[in-house]
Amino acid sequence: MAALAPSAKGTLRFGEHRTWYRVTGRLDCGRPPVVVLHGGPGSTHDYLLALTALAEAGWPVVHYDQLGNGGSSHLPDRGADFWTVQLFQDELDNLLRGLGITEQYVLFGQSWGGMLAASHAARRPKGLRGLVIANSPASMPLWLEEMAVLRAQLPEQVQQTLLRHEAAGTTDSDEYFQAMRVFYDRHVCRILPWPADYTASFMEIYNDPTVYFTMNGPTEFHVIGSLKDFSVIDLCERIEVPTLLISGRHDEATPATVQPYADLIGDVRWEIFEQSSHVPHLEEPEKFTAVLVEYLKGLS
């Protein structure tokens, strides 16, 4: 297909639905595009727009909204049997084909997107040149164990408020939201007030929480959805491309949740951002871009 102009936007047909995408830079520049897989599941691309800095350094960047949120088709009436890991794997495959980049690309997966990217990489697609797994657990059971550790460090009153509303099923209350923010401000985004890009994705989730509530649950640390037993640990040994791991020192994706990637992927390097939590691309943007550019240069 013809090369897309810088900052081109559009949608691709995905079965009966549509996937929204944005391309920054030119896909015909000779370098592999960096395809950005956002978190959630059920978030949007907005909070990862800072990765467009890679296009300024010479690597085209593809953002997209996974099905169910943002500019892609919203399907609020679909149940848990529809929202599966396989669905999002198929959507990614469809995106790569639709943009004509299956022969050469790099995946950047953040949080849930890192698990999705690892699942894709484990299939050893011939066009995959590199993999970045950012702020992502290798296992949801491990994640839940570490959430208990982090929650125990919150003020006692905050812990009791969270537990009371979770037991009562009133996690949509303002009191629960305020208690939740204490955790988020420590372990998800430490910039106050939250950056506009991050706030945009946060609000998109709550404008249509179908995917997030179904697969994850009401919050990052109260995971009761269909993903609660999901793991990519058994897939890690199959990943052959050069892999960069990223996490923050204060990240909700604690070292214990990331360690299986470091132990099992053959060609791997782990960069910890000392001043960051879950979004180092926002919390330490200059260092983040420098680390990514260095990694991308190493692929050529």
Side-chain angles (χ1 to χ4, degrees), residues 2 4 10 25-26 52 60 107 136 143 154 167 169 199 229 244 257 296-298:
L4 295 170
R26 300 196 68 91
T52 55
L107 291 187
S136 176
W143 174 274
L154 297 174
T199 300
D229 297 318
L244 173 64
T257 70
L296 291 169
K297 286 181 176 178

Side-chain angles (χ1 to χ4, degrees), residues 239-289:
I239 297 173
E240 296 182 328
V241 294
T243 300
L244 173 64
L245 300 179
I246 288 175
S247 63
R249 180 62 66 190
H250 309 284
D251 206 331
E252 58 179 348
T254 65
T257 70
V258 179
Q259 192 66 49
Y261 293 123
D263 291 341
L264 298 172
I265 297 174
D267 184 355
V268 65
R269 179 170 73 86
W270 190 353
E271 184 81 30
I272 297 177
F273 288 73
E274 295 295 334
Q275 306 305 317
S276 294
S277 57
H278 200 53
V279 286
H281 60 282
L282 297 174
E283 294 163 304
E284 297 180 69
E286 292 183 3
K287 179 182 177 182
F288 175 87
T289 299

Side-chain angles (χ1 to χ4, degrees), residues 53-54 57-59 287-299:
L54 299 177
W59 282 267
K287 179 182 177 182
F288 175 87
T289 299
V291 168
L292 263 291
V293 169
E294 178 189 11
Y295 165 75
L296 291 169
K297 286 181 176 178
L299 298 178

Side-chain angles (χ1 to χ4, degrees), residues 48-64:
L48 291 164
L49 277 172
L51 270 76
T52 55
L54 299 177
E56 298 173 12
W59 282 267
V61 178
V62 177
H63 287 88
Y64 75 104

Side-chain angles (χ1 to χ4, degrees), residues 33-162:
V34 179
V35 181
V36 181
L37 284 61
H38 65 67
S43 185
T44 62
H45 77 285
D46 302 83
Y47 77 102
L48 291 164
L49 277 172
L51 270 76
T52 55
L54 299 177
E56 298 173 12
W59 282 267
V61 178
V62 177
H63 287 88
Y64 75 104
D65 286 335
Q66 294 163 24
L67 191 66
N69 285 83
S72 296
S73 298
H74 288 235
L75 301 163
D77 297 328
R78 299 299 179 99
D81 59 334
F82 178 80
W83 302 109
T84 63
V85 175
Q86 187 63 53
L87 173 74
F88 293 105
Q89 290 177 339
D90 293 344
E91 183 184 32
L92 174 58
D93 291 342
N94 185 71
L95 177 82
L96 298 173
R97 289 192 301 269
L99 294 180
I101 57 175
T102 57
E103 296 302 312
Q104 179 176 246
Y105 61 97
V106 174
L107 291 187
F108 176 98
Q110 202 275 339
S111 197
W112 139 257
M115 302 182 83
L116 182 60
S119 299
H120 179 91
R123 289 160 32 203
R124 300 175 180 171
K126 66 178 183 178
L128 182 64
R129 298 289 179 259
L131 174 67
V132 183
I133 299 175
N135 319 99
S136 176
S139 155
M140 293 309 292
L142 269 181
W143 174 274
L144 286 167
E145 290 176 12
E146 290 298 287
M147 289 303 101
V149 172
L150 295 179
R151 283 180 61 147
Q153 298 169 5
L154 297 174
E156 181 64 27
Q157 183 177 357
V158 172
Q159 294 185 53
Q160 293 305 316
T161 299
L162 294 173

